[in-house]
């Protein structure tokens, strides 16, 4: 095949008048119209001197055009690098510079703030907004609506997704065409998606979940998506009767359960609810079934691997587990110290191997070697076990990571900022239970002798450099951080002592 990912997900829909996207304003975009848009964008990107293998960093609102950019990159061999729309200019600068992006695509409203970033990195700055306006669509207007697809091999890179590191620096996970395609093929089959499906899509499209799981599946199945700009409870409740399936993070499901309009009748026709990106509490699973009669299907994945395991479509979807290894994916549990495989039932490090596992971290051979073994197993940083029926259970994380509403926050990055603030001697950042977000970020500060850190000024400094979801929801001043005899900060003590901080009514 000339370009496996493009041909399989996109190209074969050429000429199909069937709907691809149902938009919030009531309009519909057909598969064919989408592909014609894609082709025009691909021409415009070539005209902007982007060649196969170049990186395009995109910080753009969720819209049909944004998906068009993804498709145009796949069709023209450009590596797509989507960025969280919440990232500050400082954060974007790191990704653009580190990836060596040839183009930075942003919202026109952000162009002024991001121009120095693009100029500094020698990248072309293009714009696109959620209505489909901007310099990219201007350049695409009048371009042909077919584009000669650039040949690619399964092993060629299709996307970079940055994932933060426990040591602070974000790492660019290099995903190949084969990684994305193999996972989409397995999931369509495992979750029984067909062209009759209508997926309610309320996730962001700059992460694996919304882009490579939800969107790639629907493209491969040939179905359509109710494409909402974000998870807005009124829009979701209104759209559910027209959908057959929904994918979400646990916060989507707890928010739905909090709404009296979310009834058994509203979702009687649905065939599937999928949850992932963060642990789904067993109580949410149970409350959801009581309310709707549906058992949420929980699965487990990562940026570096796409999806690894899933509860079954038929058969028991067990609360508190992430199900079985997907076909073609091997999961083992190893001793975190020795790396030796542990007997069934014992808790250790989850490792995965399969066609879904990424190629490595961009320009970070040492990091790659630390996490991706020569035998192909990727060390996930998640702790878990495989029970006597083969279900994988995640019981904790060896990596210092907070998952807030499905977004990952690496404490190190926030601690580095807090430590730099006037009057702060040291800090520790932890995730504490939060009723809406699962976990939320809390910062603990120890002042320098006789200093009184200005908490408002610290919050302002965080707002300048870090995306909103990384901001500590609370800053607590302590005389000292709890430490063990080795001098290591005991974050578990902070988590235990302050467990009720954000949940207390
Ligand atoms: C928004 N805010 C957040 C979050 N989202 N703060 C912490 N954590 C968050 N996740 C900020 C907002 O900027 C706002 O700031 C304030 O919190 C309240 O916003 P709210 O309106 O409640 O939030 P929202 O806009 O409704 O968003 C919540 C959300 C959203 C719907 C849960 O975060 C979301 O769509 N999350 C999904 C993330 C996702 O797709 N993850 C997949 C990663 P202010 O107070 O200043 O107004 S892929 C992955 O993990 C792997 C591969 C996998 O397995 O899938
Ligand atoms: P990311 O780096 O954004 O790809 O996040 C991946 C991490 O999310 C995994 O390593 C897990 O810690 C977590 N995760 C994803 N799905 C689940 C799940 N169903 N249950 C628990 N944790 C999950």
């Amino acid at each position: 095949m000339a370009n496996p990912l493009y041909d399989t997900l996109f190209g074969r829909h050429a000429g199909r008048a069937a709907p691809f996207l149902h938009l919030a304003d009531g309009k519909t975009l057909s598969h064919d119209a989408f592909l014609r848009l894609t082709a025009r964008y691909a021409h415009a990107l070539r005209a902007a001197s982007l060649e196969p293998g170049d990186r395009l960093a995109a910080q753009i609102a969720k819209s049909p055009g944004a998906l068009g950019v993804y498709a145009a990159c796949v069709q023209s061999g450009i590596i797509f690098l989507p960025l969280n729309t919440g990232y500050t200019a400082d954060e974007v600068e790191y990704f653009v510079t580190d990836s060596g992006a040839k183009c930075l695509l942003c919202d026109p409203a952000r162009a002024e703030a991001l121009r120095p970033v693009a100029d500094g990195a020698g990248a072309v700055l293009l714009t696109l907004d959620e209505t489909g306006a901007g310099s990219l669509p201007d350049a695409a207007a009048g371009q042909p609506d077919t584009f000669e697809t650039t040949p690619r091999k399964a092993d060629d890179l299709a996307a970079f997704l940055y994932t933060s590191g426990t040591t602070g620096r974000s790492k660019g996970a290099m995903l190949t065409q084969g990684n994305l395609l193999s996972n989409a093929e397995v999931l369509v089959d495992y979750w029984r998606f067909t062209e009759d499906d209508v997926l309610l899509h309320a996730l962001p499209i700059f992460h694996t979940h919304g882009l490579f799981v939800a969107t790639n599946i629907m493209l491969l199945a040939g179905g359509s998506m109710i494409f909402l700009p974000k998870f807005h409870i009124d829009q979701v409740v209104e759209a559910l009767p027209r959908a057959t399936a929904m994918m979400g993070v646990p916060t989507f499901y707890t928010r739905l359960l909090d709404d009296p309009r979310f009834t058994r009748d509203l979702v009687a026709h649905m065939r599937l609810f999928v949850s992932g990106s963060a642990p789904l509490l067993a109580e949410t699973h149970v409350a959801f079934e009581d309310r709707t009669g549906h058992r949420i299907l929980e699965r487990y994945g990562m940026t570096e691997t796409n999806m690894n395991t899933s509860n079954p479509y038929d058969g028991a979807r067990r609360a508190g587990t992430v199900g079985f290894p997907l076909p073609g994916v091997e999961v083992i549990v190893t001793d975190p110290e020795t790396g030796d495989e542990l007997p069934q039932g014992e808790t250790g490090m989850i490792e995965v191997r399969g066609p879904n596992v990424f190629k490595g971290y961009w320009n970070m051979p040492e990091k790659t070697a630390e996490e991706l073994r020569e035998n192909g197993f990727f060390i996930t940083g998640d702790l878990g076990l495989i029970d006597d029926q083969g279900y994988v259970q995640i019981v904790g994380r060896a990596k210092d990571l907070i998952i807030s509403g499905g977004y990952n926050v690496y404490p190190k990055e926030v601690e580095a900022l807090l430590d730099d603030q006037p009057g702060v001697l040291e800090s520790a950042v932890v995730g504490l239970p939060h009723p809406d977000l699962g976990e939320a970020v809390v910062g603990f500060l120890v002042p320098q002798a006789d200093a009184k850190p200005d908490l408002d000024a610290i919050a302002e400094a965080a707002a300048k450099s870090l995306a909103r979801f990384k901001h500590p929801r609370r800053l607590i001043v302590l005389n000292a951080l709890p430490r063990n005899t080795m001098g290591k900060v005991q974050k578990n003590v902070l988590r235990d002592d302050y467990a009720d901080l954000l949940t207390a009514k």
Side-chain angles (χ1 to χ4, degrees):
M1 214 175 264
N3 179 322
L5 192 61
Y6 183 80
D7 297 346
T8 315
L9 295 191
F10 303 98
R12 68 198 176 84
H13 298 304
R16 263 186 84 205
F20 172 44
L21 300 177
H22 310 277
L23 304 172
D25 62 6
K27 294 197 179 109
T28 293
L29 189 70
S30 70
H31 279 278
D32 186 56
F34 175 68
L35 290 182
R36 287 188 278 114
L37 173 80
T38 294
R40 292 194 293 274
Y41 280 4
H43 281 288
L45 294 176
R46 271 290 186 277
S49 300
L50 277 114
E51 296 299 326
D54 288 342
R55 274 78 61 203
L56 177 148
Q59 190 188 37
I60 45 177
K62 182 176 177 182
S63 68
L67 281 188
V69 174
Y70 163 51
C73 287
V74 176
Q75 187 170 21
S76 60
I78 295 166
I79 298 172
F80 185 56
L81 193 176
L83 293 172
N84 191 318
T85 47
Y87 286 149
T88 64
D90 289 357
E91 289 167 318
V92 172
E93 181 177 24
Y94 172 79
F95 300 119
V96 172
T97 311
D98 185 74
S99 66
K102 195 83 172 284
C103 173
L104 171 58
L105 177 65
C106 71
D107 195 284
R110 297 267 286 150
E112 203 186 326
L114 291 176
R115 183 165 299 282
V117 172
D119 289 350
V124 180
L125 186 78
L126 292 173
T127 61
L128 173 67
D129 74 10
E130 73 273 18
T131 68
S135 61
L136 172 67
D138 287 349
Q143 294 283 359
D145 56 12
T146 57
F147 179 88
E148 192 173 334
T149 302
T150 302
R152 296 275 91 184
K153 295 189 294 300
D155 198 37
D156 284 331
L157 296 178
F160 278 13
L161 284 192
Y162 273 80
T163 157
S164 302
T166 37
T167 49
R169 273 187 74 201
S170 279
K171 302 166 287 186
M174 300 188 286
L175 295 156
T176 65
Q177 287 219 338
N179 293 148
L180 303 181
L181 190 53
S182 65
N183 217 232
E185 282 170 341
V186 164
L187 293 173
V188 163
D189 201 42
Y190 210 75
W191 295 341
R192 312 272 172 87
F193 275 92
T194 71
E195 62 180 37
D196 295 332
D197 273 305
V198 181
L199 181 82
L200 200 165
H201 192 305
L203 288 159
I205 53 168
F206 42 71
H207 278 310
T208 299
H209 198 162
L211 190 62
F212 301 141
V213 184
T215 305
N216 282 0
I217 283 182
M218 293 319 294
L219 283 162
L220 184 61
S224 63
M225 302 195 277
I226 301 173
F227 204 60
L228 302 179
K230 57 172 280 191
F231 185 92
H232 188 289
I233 189 77
D234 294 341
Q235 284 184 340
V236 171
V237 167
E238 189 274 322
L240 271 168
R242 290 177 279 125
T244 63
M246 185 175 114
M247 293 181 195
V249 296
T251 300
F252 285 18
Y253 295 111
T254 50
R255 286 188 181 182
L256 282 168
L257 285 169
D258 277 345
D259 194 298
R261 294 170 295 176
F262 186 65
T263 61
R264 189 172 279 256
D265 282 350
L266 190 77
V267 294
H269 63 289
M270 291 283 283
R271 71 167 190 89
L272 183 62
F273 291 94
V274 178
S275 177
S277 309
L280 183 77
L281 293 179
E283 68 195 54
T284 309
H285 197 279
V286 171
F288 199 90
E289 185 175 13
D290 286 350
R291 177 85 67 89
T292 64
H294 287 281
R295 291 178 74 83
I296 297 174
L297 184 154
E298 186 171 8
R299 61 34 170 206
Y300 159 59
M302 291 186 72
T303 299
E304 289 91 336
T305 63
N306 281 12
M307 298 304 102
N308 297 315
T309 72
S310 170
N311 270 278
Y313 190 84
D314 296 319
R317 299 177 190 171
R318 287 188 20 204
T321 82
V322 291
F324 305 114
L326 287 165
V329 180
E330 291 169 83
V331 176
I332 56 172
V333 176
T334 58
D335 182 322
E337 302 300 322
T338 63
D340 294 339
E341 190 169 349
L342 292 171
Q344 180 272 313
E346 284 190 24
T347 298
M349 177 67 74
I350 299 178
E351 299 193 20
V352 297
R353 177 165 71 182
N356 54 319
V357 174
F358 76 140
K359 212 169 170 171
Y361 297 114
W362 170 251
N363 271 349
M364 289 189 180
E366 304 83 22
K367 280 272 156 225
T368 304
E370 273 170 33
E371 297 181 31
L372 191 55
R373 294 186 194 280
E374 268 179 20
N375 65 8
F377 274 101
F378 176 66
I379 305 169
T380 62
D382 292 311
L383 299 173
L385 59 87
I386 304 178
D387 74 13
D388 55 2
Q389 285 163 48
Y391 286 78
V392 176
Q393 287 176 30
I394 299 174
V395 299
R397 296 178 202 133
K399 51 194 172 190
D400 192 13
L401 162 69
I402 300 167
I403 305 185
S404 172
Y407 287 144
N408 288 10
V409 182
Y410 277 85
K412 192 89 196 158
E413 189 183 1
V414 186
E415 286 161 1
L417 180 123
L418 296 179
D419 291 347
D420 273 354
Q421 301 309 309
V424 175
L425 178 67
E426 60 175 354
S427 66
V429 167
V430 301
L432 294 183
H434 186 279
D436 181 39
L437 299 168
E439 288 180 310
V441 179
V442 172
F444 293 88
L445 300 175
V446 177
Q448 287 164 348
D450 302 325
K452 196 166 179 300
D454 177 345
L455 299 189
D456 291 337
I458 294 178
E460 244 174 69
K464 184 186 166 287
S465 3
L466 299 177
R468 171 78 180 108
F469 67 90
K470 299 178 189 171
H471 297 183
R473 297 266 157 164
R474 298 279 274 276
L475 283 173
I476 311 259
V477 178
L478 297 178
N479 290 328
L481 298 175
R483 289 183 188 275
N484 66 13
T485 48
M486 310 287 288
K488 193 172 174 326
V489 176
Q490 291 172 302
K491 291 196 171 180
N492 55 324
V493 172
L494 293 172
R495 278 191 288 265
D496 290 347
D497 288 354
Y498 291 87
D500 299 333
L501 185 75
L502 304 174
T503 50
K505 293 252 154 68

